[in-house]
Amino acid sequence: GAGVSQSPRYKVAKRGQDVALRCDPISGHVSLFWYQQALGQGPEFLTYFQNEAQLDKSGLPSDRFFAERPEGSVSTLKIQRTQQEDSAVYLCASSLAPTGSGNTIYFGEGSWLTVV
Amino acid sequence: GQNIDQPTEMTATEGAIVQINCTYQTSGFNGLFWYQQHAGEAPTFLSYNVLDGLEEKGRFSSFLSRSKGYSYLLLKELQMKDSASYLCAVSSGSNDYKLSFGAGTTVTVRA
């Protein structure tokens, strides 16, 4: 596709439910990022992939969060046993080059998660 | 960690100029980005500064002073469609792929 595509766009989950958020990066982009954006805040880094390798997962809030990119293209962010504080927009981004510095990072429109 | 500060809100009139300031404190500096984000939409790239000085791109310009830990985004000839949140983001340290964002400045353009 022309841009980064995310699904679902909106998800309402009951507390304790597992959710999976999908990201289709721009074709050919090596780098893929997940960010979490709370209401009224800037995005916070969660994790970084270079192709299929997860090189940095230091931003994942807890072991309930898991991300994968098994074939180096599509990525899934999974949240187990969701809690109310997980409510946020989850942004996926990709860039052409292996590192982000100076390279344009393209964001998707995000998956809006509300945990009730 | 990084400390990135920018004003919460700004209001300006259509056709005017607005300057959004961003100050940062980081350990190591790789570059500074500005993104525009309309409500409910993806952040879109506006500018990137790694050296001191002014980068001009149409109606938008971005300035960087590394010694002062300071940047600004200048929006000229404001249009209604410029009403959005503007995010300042810094790449720093050995992990240059990781961006640290400010909370964003909501700009409202009035007729």
Side-chain angles (χ1 to χ4, degrees), chain A residues 33-35 43-48 56 58-60, chain B residues 97-99:
Chain A
F33 312 84
W34 283 98
Y35 282 80
E44 295 274 349
F45 172 84
L46 294 178
T47 187
Y48 165 61
D56 188 340
S58 63
L60 296 177
Chain B
Y97 51 81
K98 186 185 300 187
L99 294 182

Side-chain angles (χ1 to χ4, degrees), chain A residues 61-83:
Chain A
S62 74
D63 59 7
R64 296 186 296 105
F65 287 71
F66 172 76
E68 60 182 4
R69 193 187 186 197
E71 298 179 357
S73 57
V74 171
S75 176
T76 304
L77 176 67
K78 297 179 180 177
I79 309 173
Q80 297 177 322
R81 305 180 303 281
T82 53
Q83 300 177 8

Side-chain angles (χ1 to χ4, degrees), chain A residues 13-14 19 21 25 29 31-32 34 49 51 54 64 72-73 76-77 79-80 85-86 96 98-100 107 111 116:
Chain A
K14 291 185 178 179
V19 300
L21 308 177
H29 276 198
S31 296
L32 185 143
W34 283 98
F49 289 87
N51 295 307
Q54 188 176 23
R64 296 186 296 105
S73 57
T76 304
L77 176 67
I79 309 173
Q80 297 177 322
E85 60 261 32
D86 300 335
L96 184 60
T99 61
F107 283 86
S111 289
V116 297

